[in-house]
Amino acid sequence: MSRGILFVLSGPSGVGKGTVRAELFSRANHKLVYSVSATTRIARKGEVEGVDYFFKTQEEFEKMIANRALIEYAQFVGNYYGTPLDYVEKMLDEGQDVILEIEVQGATQVKRLLPEAVFIFLAPPSLKELRRRLVGRGTEDTEVISGRINTAIRELFLMSEYDYTVINDTVEQAADKIIAIIKAEHLRTKYIESTIRERIMEELV
Amino acid sequence: MSRGILFVLSGPSGVGKGTVRAELFSRANHKLVYSVSATTRIARKGEVEGVDYFFKTQEEFEKMIANRALIEYAQFVGNYYGTPLDYVEKMLDEGQDVILEIEVQGATQVKRLLPEAVFIFLAPPSLKELRRRLVGRGTEDTEVISGRINTAIRELFLMSEYDYTVINDTVEQAADKIIAIIKAEHLRTKYIESTIRERIMEELV
């Protein structure tokens, strides 16, 4: 069995990473698992421990940092977010593809640690639309939203570090595009050639 | 308008490159054009000049080589095969994707000249199946077929030069996979980032 591929889905806050991820998982025919992140942020209404996030205290989170138990972590609007290493390695070894849905700051760390991962940048159709989505979410005040827009502009200049860029016009189209990326990445010669050569050599013996 | 992408579809003789290409073009929703090759080989039954190949005499073909009018050319089982440069550049400039369906020998030349092209290796499910397909074609004698099998084995070791490898189990599945590759390649950040940044900068002015 071949090892799974790690896909990193990132992009500015408010761009719709969570919605696109949910759409991906609603589709059939995939071997994707979602890497549940740890965070110190307060759970939003409807969010479930161990499904949406592992909710941690600041003390617990800092212990994980100290123990190098995280692939990446970031502080974002005063809260920690991070990805537990064990879980990701276990899933990949079992041949499952893992999707990390993380902030841009965290993606840069993953790239240093796991350069073989596939990096997908989710971009907003426009800044106007990004602002509309942040306001529509109704969870942050105007000042926080302005801060997020400014961060988004800076983050758009980190796009070139990513293998792929998907514009989130509609969630269905964005999911279709990411599925094509996942399918194509599995066809990379580096994952296939040893299997083919072994098969051919067996026939020649 | 953005420039098209050049896809090079190659693989051993008999693997089914022509059939897969025909299947690709039978699908809707693509902006693909097929780069018609020049060859000195005799037309097979049903093959049409200017559609399947430009059929050339040896003298005509060697004049094209001398005039550097070919992206690549190869001699294969005593015949020349080559790709006219003009046609490919014109299509790419018009924003169309071009598929080159060529022999492995030729693909190596394209890689040197146009490294930004996307290289797809079409592999047989097995040598046994490859032999069956070559025999089934009924156009060559046993000695030619043995020669082609030996060439195929050598060519399988050039697979690692290719970006992607698609096993031609069934023509429909192979075409589906190539369509995913084409879709994914258009999402590469290098093709998209300047458009997104320009759009964002306009909003900031």
Side-chain angles (χ1 to χ4, degrees):
Chain A
M1 188 190 52
S2 58
R3 195 172 144 91
I5 301 175
L6 177 60
F7 294 92
V8 178
L9 180 64
S10 188
S13 176
V15 76
K17 297 187 289 292
T19 319
V20 168
R21 183 247 303 169
E23 175 68 20
L24 278 174
F25 281 90
S26 75
R27 308 282 180 100
N29 294 320
H30 64 70
K31 295 199 301 174
L32 283 177
V33 292
Y34 169 57
S35 169
V36 179
S37 296
T39 185
T40 57
R41 145 160 110 51
I42 304 296
R44 289 193 194 124
K45 198 163 178 276
E47 286 181 339
V48 178
E49 164 72 20
V51 175
D52 296 292
Y53 286 97
F54 297 112
F55 296 98
K56 301 285 178 191
T57 64
Q58 184 153 334
E59 197 189 342
E60 287 168 337
F61 199 99
E62 286 171 353
K63 193 175 276 182
M64 290 177 84
I65 298 172
N67 295 339
R68 297 181 183 277
L70 299 165
I71 294 181
E72 55 79 36
Y73 68 95
Q75 249 184 326
F76 192 75
V77 198
N79 290 304
Y80 278 122
Y81 294 79
T83 304
L85 176 62
D86 294 9
Y87 179 79
V88 170
E89 287 291 341
K90 184 170 167 287
M91 293 295 118
L92 293 175
D93 285 343
E94 288 177 5
Q96 291 198 279
D97 293 332
V98 179
I99 291 241
L100 290 192
E101 176 217 322
I102 55 178
E103 304 304 324
V104 173
Q105 199 183 338
T108 308
Q109 292 174 56
V110 179
K111 180 128 191 182
R112 277 196 297 266
L113 204 70
L114 302 166
E116 76 280 14
V118 176
F119 292 81
I120 304 171
F121 190 89
L122 197 65
S126 65
L127 288 180
K128 199 175 150 194
E129 176 59 22
L130 184 66
R131 184 182 297 274
R132 204 187 60 74
R133 290 179 192 178
L134 285 167
V135 171
R137 201 152 75 178
T139 48
E140 285 98 4
D141 64 25
T142 318
E143 206 174 314
V144 172
I145 289 172
S146 289
R148 290 193 179 214
I149 291 283
N150 286 336
T151 304
I153 295 166
R154 281 201 311 276
E155 288 174 348
L156 283 164
F157 285 85
L158 295 171
M159 210 191 318
S160 51
E161 301 285 307
Y162 289 71
D163 301 299
Y164 298 97
T165 296
V166 170
I167 299 174
N168 191 15
D169 284 316
T170 74
V171 75
E172 293 77 17
Q173 283 173 14
D176 285 347
K177 287 174 179 175
I178 293 168
I179 284 170
I181 292 168
I182 293 170
K183 199 166 171 182
E185 284 294 325
H186 277 279
L187 298 168
R188 293 220 158 255
T189 297
K190 62 182 174 183
Y191 299 125
I192 298 175
E193 61 182 336
S194 63
T195 311
I196 292 181
R197 282 184 190 161
E198 278 164 27
R199 209 188 285 179
I200 300 289
M201 295 321 280
E202 273 170 26
E203 286 189 82
L204 290 176
V205 173
Chain B
M1 189 188 54
S2 59
R3 197 172 143 91
I5 300 175
L6 178 60
F7 293 92
V8 177
L9 180 64
S10 188
S13 176
V15 75
K17 297 187 288 294
T19 319
V20 169
R21 184 247 303 169
E23 175 68 19
L24 279 174
F25 281 89
S26 75
R27 309 282 181 99
N29 294 322
H30 64 69
K31 293 199 303 172
L32 283 176
V33 291
Y34 169 58
S35 169
V36 178
S37 296
T39 185
T40 58
R41 144 161 112 50
I42 304 295
R44 290 192 194 125
K45 197 161 177 279
E47 285 182 337
V48 178
E49 163 73 19
V51 175
D52 296 293
Y53 285 98
F54 297 111
F55 295 100
K56 301 286 180 191
T57 64
Q58 185 152 336
E59 198 189 343
E60 287 168 337
F61 199 99
E62 287 172 351
K63 193 175 275 182
M64 290 177 84
I65 298 173
N67 294 340
R68 297 180 183 279
L70 299 165
I71 294 181
E72 56 78 37
Y73 68 94
Q75 248 185 324
F76 192 75
V77 199
N79 290 304
Y80 278 122
Y81 295 78
T83 304
L85 176 62
D86 294 8
Y87 179 79
V88 170
E89 287 290 342
K90 185 170 167 285
M91 293 296 117
L92 293 176
D93 286 342
E94 289 178 5
Q96 292 199 278
D97 292 334
V98 179
I99 291 239
L100 290 191
E101 176 218 321
I102 55 177
E103 304 303 325
V104 173
Q105 200 183 336
T108 308
Q109 292 174 55
V110 179
K111 180 129 191 180
R112 276 196 296 265
L113 203 69
L114 301 166
E116 76 279 15
V118 176
F119 291 82
I120 304 171
F121 190 89
L122 197 64
S126 66
L127 287 180
K128 198 175 154 196
E129 176 60 23
L130 184 65
R131 184 181 297 276
R132 204 188 60 74
R133 289 180 193 178
L134 285 166
V135 171
R137 201 152 74 178
T139 47
E140 284 98 4
D141 64 24
T142 318
E143 204 173 315
V144 172
I145 288 172
S146 289
R148 290 193 179 216
I149 292 283
N150 287 336
T151 304
I153 295 166
R154 282 202 310 276
E155 288 173 348
L156 283 164
F157 285 85
L158 294 171
M159 209 191 318
S160 51
E161 301 284 309
Y162 290 71
D163 301 298
Y164 298 97
T165 296
V166 170
I167 299 175
N168 190 15
D169 284 316
T170 73
V171 75
E172 292 77 17
Q173 283 173 16
D176 285 347
K177 287 174 178 175
I178 294 169
I179 284 169
I181 292 169
I182 293 171
K183 199 167 171 181
E185 283 294 325
H186 277 279
L187 298 168
R188 292 223 158 253
T189 298
K190 62 182 173 181
Y191 299 125
I192 297 175
E193 59 181 337
S194 63
T195 310
I196 293 181
R197 282 184 190 162
E198 279 163 29
R199 210 188 284 179
I200 301 290
M201 293 323 278
E202 273 170 27
E203 287 189 82
L204 290 177
V205 173

